[in-house]
Amino acid sequence: MDLSSRPPSPARPAEFSGSPAAGTRWWRDAVIYQVYVRSFADADGDGVGDLAGIRSRLPYLAALGVDALWITPFYESPMVDGGYDVTDYRSVDPTFGTLADAVELIEEAHRLGLRVIVDIVPNHTSDQHVWFQEALAAGVSGPARERYVFRPGRGASGELPPNDWESVFGGPAWTRLPDGQWYLHLFAPQQPDLNWEHPDVRAEFDDVLRFWLDLGADGFRIDVAHGMVKAAGLPDVGDAPQSRLLGRGKVPYFDQDGVHDIHRGWRRLLALGPGERIGVAEAWAPSLDRLANYVRPDELHQVFNFDYMRTDWDAAELRSVIEKSLASTGPVGAPTTWVLSNHDVQRHVTRYGGDELGRRRARAAALLTLALPGSAYVYQGEELGLPEVLDIPAELLTDPQLESLKGGRDGCRVPLPWSGNEPPFGFGSGGGWLPSPPEWKSLTVEAQWDDEASTLTLYRRALRIRRDHSALGDGELHWLDGPPDCLVFERSGHSDGPRMLCAVNTGDRSVQIPARGSLLLSSEPIRMEGPNAVLPPDTAAWWSTEPSEEPDTGG
Ligand code: BGC
């Protein structure tokens, strides 16, 4: 089977035919597929994924039925942090291809009806970026240092860091230069933080955004969108354990009110069109309400919902986070996003218990996620039910977060298995930059494509139904009563059309759900017992219902 030449099967929305049209609000319910470029597909056989590899697999993404892809950074970079350390925001790293490859990729995606979101990294550059090199050369009082956050140290001879901030990757967030000054890096020492008070920085990123918009990008995923502005005076955090505050508590280096001015400026830029280009915030804030500030009407279009991603496989907890998520984005008029995995966290098959249990729960979670109102993200390989790889030999690990995060993030970044019986399973002719587990033979795209029972088939069907059924995507959600350990809700679109009933059993016992309408899809086989559907443990199902049918699911 040659998947690279498989034609896209699902009909594309009429308004999108190669160039983004205005007024579609496509982003309100788009399914966006995250491509981790190093690990998606390798066209030139060097063991590392590249843009030509992505291009060759676009027909797969179109046939899968997603609306857009977000590609992690592919710019020129020393790759200390997988490309999130950029030296030139207007170029493509030779490992990943050329600028011409990027343009061809965007054009080809548009021809197939797929939008392309690129990743922009504005909080920090690489230490090899020309600005940082100039800053180093400029000496202690050189103006080139003002584009970054340089400070004298504390202590009698400046031997102590300027404050107590810690890097997200562990250790102090400051590094001292031989000339005595310290510079701030909230991530690796090779990722110095930019000073967003400096006009050059603002002007540069406006220009970088325009550059990619001119090349046809449909939007930006904004890395560390909560980090660019720091509290005035760079105050100490104090005694609190900073690693535990991240994403949960208040720290003077994240989620400062000043970042919103930057996002407002970018929204104005995105609004210039043509078409609807979007900004997606990768932001962490102490509460969902603060997170919703990033998607106020004059700011970005979406923000990742990491609270949902961090929730255990438990009906009550899931219901609570879903309600809170909808309640926080609703008032600002933004769509809620639903994320189960990405390149920074352990894959959810493993988080949910691993092996068959984890995969079974992940399949049910997919149907839950794709039934919720708003936009959903799919991290490459989740449609294959890939688990985290937990036994990568230590000498092959590359992640700079290795010290602060047990095992690091490499285990979710193993090259995607496409076909064949031997590693790297069609990823490329030159092996893979991380080894693939031999047992992934049964998880390749090829092995799953025509298998009725596979996770890939489940995703394809779910995505097709989501596109065709008017109650899915944007719209309302109504909770219904259900048995313990179950989520039961109904979706209605904006019209009087059919509704959709979703039931999810997160418990370890079968439950009975009064069935209504016609079964659309279930994550495991389900059987009827009289008028009731029997939902086995860790199973989700979708039914299409008519508005007149009674919402009676008491159990
Ligand atoms: C990205 C990470 C990266 C970090 C620093 C994160 O938000 O998703 O992969 O290490 O930003 O750029």
Side-chain angles (χ1 to χ4, degrees):
M1 178 174 55
D2 178 10
L3 283 166
S4 58
S5 60
R6 188 178 284 272
S9 51
R12 307 304 309 180
E15 80 283 354
F16 184 65
S17 59
S19 66
T24 61
R25 293 160 75 77
W26 64 273
W27 42 275
R28 290 198 62 87
D29 58 6
V31 177
I32 302 178
Y33 186 96
Q34 181 191 351
V35 172
Y36 190 72
V37 55
R38 301 182 73 74
S39 307
F40 189 67
D42 173 22
D44 64 6
D46 66 355
V48 178
D50 45 42
L51 297 182
I54 301 174
R55 187 175 164 210
S56 75
R57 298 295 185 178
L58 287 174
Y60 166 73
L61 295 181
L64 179 61
V66 299
D67 302 296
L69 50 152
W70 144 38
I71 310 173
T72 54
F74 47 77
Y75 317 109
E76 203 179 280
S77 163
M79 305 290 166
V80 169
D81 184 18
Y84 283 95
D85 46 321
V86 179
T87 49
D88 181 354
Y89 292 83
R90 297 179 191 76
S91 71
V92 171
D93 193 273
T95 319
F96 299 137
T98 63
L99 204 53
D101 290 331
V103 172
E104 279 169 26
L105 169 58
I106 293 171
E107 287 176 358
E108 180 70 10
H110 285 175
R111 270 195 289 279
L112 292 174
L114 295 163
R115 290 179 163 92
V116 179
I117 292 170
V118 299
D119 209 321
I120 216 76
V121 190
N123 180 67
H124 43 264
T125 67
S126 159
D127 63 346
Q128 302 304 310
H129 190 284
V130 62
W131 276 2
F132 195 71
Q133 290 300 311
E134 280 171 21
L136 292 183
V140 173
S141 53
R145 291 212 170 172
E146 288 164 19
R147 296 193 189 111
Y148 292 88
V149 186
F150 281 87
R151 291 286 184 282
R154 295 200 277 205
S157 52
E159 75 283 8
L160 299 172
N163 66 22
D164 67 357
W165 295 2
E166 289 170 13
S167 149
V168 174
F169 291 163
W174 297 90
T175 289
R176 196 178 195 193
L177 295 173
D179 60 28
Q181 269 203 330
W182 296 75
Y183 69 89
L184 177 68
H185 51 85
L186 292 179
F187 294 88
Q190 298 90 339
Q191 293 169 298
D193 277 53
L194 285 162
N195 169 20
W196 273 83
E197 308 297 325
H198 198 295
D200 283 4
V201 174
R202 294 191 182 232
E204 169 69 359
F205 275 89
D206 279 359
D207 198 64
V208 166
L209 259 52
R210 274 193 221 101
F211 178 85
W212 288 101
L213 291 173
D214 287 349
L215 293 186
D218 298 292
F220 301 97
R221 178 263 189 193
I222 295 155
D223 190 59
V224 197
H226 56 310
M228 286 96 84
V229 172
K230 279 78 181 175
L234 312 185
D236 279 341
V237 174
D239 284 340
Q242 290 179 40
S243 58
R244 275 196 268 135
L245 286 179
L246 294 180
R248 292 182 171 88
K250 258 192 109 34
V251 283
Y253 42 85
F254 283 149
D255 193 40
Q256 300 298 307
D257 290 340
V259 291
H260 296 289
D261 281 344
I262 300 170
H263 299 314
R264 283 191 196 99
W266 289 352
R267 176 67 177 240
R268 286 194 292 274
L269 210 146
L270 289 162
L272 296 175
E276 287 174 282
R277 323 284 190 99
I278 68 165
V280 184
E282 189 237 7
W284 295 83
S287 69
L288 279 165
D289 290 338
R290 289 234 17 129
L291 202 62
N293 287 340
Y294 291 80
V295 285
R296 287 177 288 199
D298 59 346
E299 297 198 36
L300 302 174
H301 298 76
Q302 294 186 347
V303 57
F304 292 122
N305 183 354
F306 294 131
D307 282 40
Y308 179 68
M309 182 175 77
R310 292 196 293 200
T311 303
D312 288 339
W313 183 242
D314 174 275
E317 287 180 34
L318 286 164
R319 176 162 174 169
S320 162
V321 76
I322 291 166
E323 282 175 349
K324 285 185 193 149
S325 306
L326 293 171
S328 63
T329 45
V332 292
T336 313
T337 64
W338 308 103
V339 185
L340 288 169
S341 278
N342 65 32
H343 66 295
D344 290 332
V345 298
Q346 193 175 67
R347 283 187 178 275
H348 57 276
V349 164
T350 304
R351 289 200 324 264
Y352 290 157
D355 297 324
E356 276 322 301
L357 176 70
R359 191 159 300 129
R360 185 181 173 100
R361 290 177 171 170
R363 289 167 58 91
L367 293 199
L368 168 62
T369 303
L370 293 171
L372 294 171
S375 174
Y377 280 77
V378 175
Y379 176 50
Q380 66 179 40
E382 80 170 63
E383 80 278 21
L384 304 176
L386 295 187
E388 185 83 358
V389 181
L390 299 168
D391 58 357
I392 301 173
E395 66 277 12
L396 298 179
L397 298 174
T398 64
D399 182 18
Q401 199 165 10
L402 206 50
E403 276 176 25
S404 63
L405 187 72
K406 201 167 157 281
R409 299 169 295 179
D410 290 298
C412 64
R413 300 173 175 180
V414 170
L416 212 62
W418 290 95
S419 58
N421 296 319
E422 304 287 335
F425 301 114
F427 169 69
S429 58
W433 67 282
L434 286 173
S436 310
E439 62 273 18
W440 281 15
K441 177 173 139 180
S442 60
L443 295 177
T444 64
V445 171
E446 183 181 50
Q448 295 196 44
W449 190 268
D450 293 318
D451 177 355
E452 286 289 301
S454 74
T455 299
L456 179 55
T457 300
L458 182 76
Y459 267 82
R460 284 168 58 206
R461 291 200 172 131
L463 291 168
R464 168 69 72 98
I465 294 168
R466 184 182 155 106
R467 187 169 280 173
D468 291 347
H469 200 291
S470 58
L472 283 168
D474 213 4
E476 302 295 322
L477 175 152
H478 308 281
W479 294 104
L480 304 176
D481 288 339
D485 295 326
C486 279
L487 298 169
V488 185
F489 58 88
E490 192 178 52
R491 294 294 322 279
S492 51
H494 292 303
S495 63
D496 293 335
R499 297 182 180 177
M500 188 268 191
L501 178 73
C502 176
V504 186
N505 178 10
T506 65
D508 55 9
R509 296 177 26 189
S510 291
V511 294
Q512 300 214 355
I513 305 280
R516 291 188 290 123
S518 49
L519 181 69
L520 292 167
L521 191 62
S522 60
S523 62
E524 305 295 330
I526 60 173
R527 62 185 169 81
M528 295 300 292
E529 218 170 84
N532 293 334
V534 179
L535 213 55
D538 300 316
T539 299
W542 291 357
W543 290 265
S544 186
T545 66
E546 293 304 322
S548 56
E549 286 172 291
E550 274 299 292
D552 168 21
T553 57

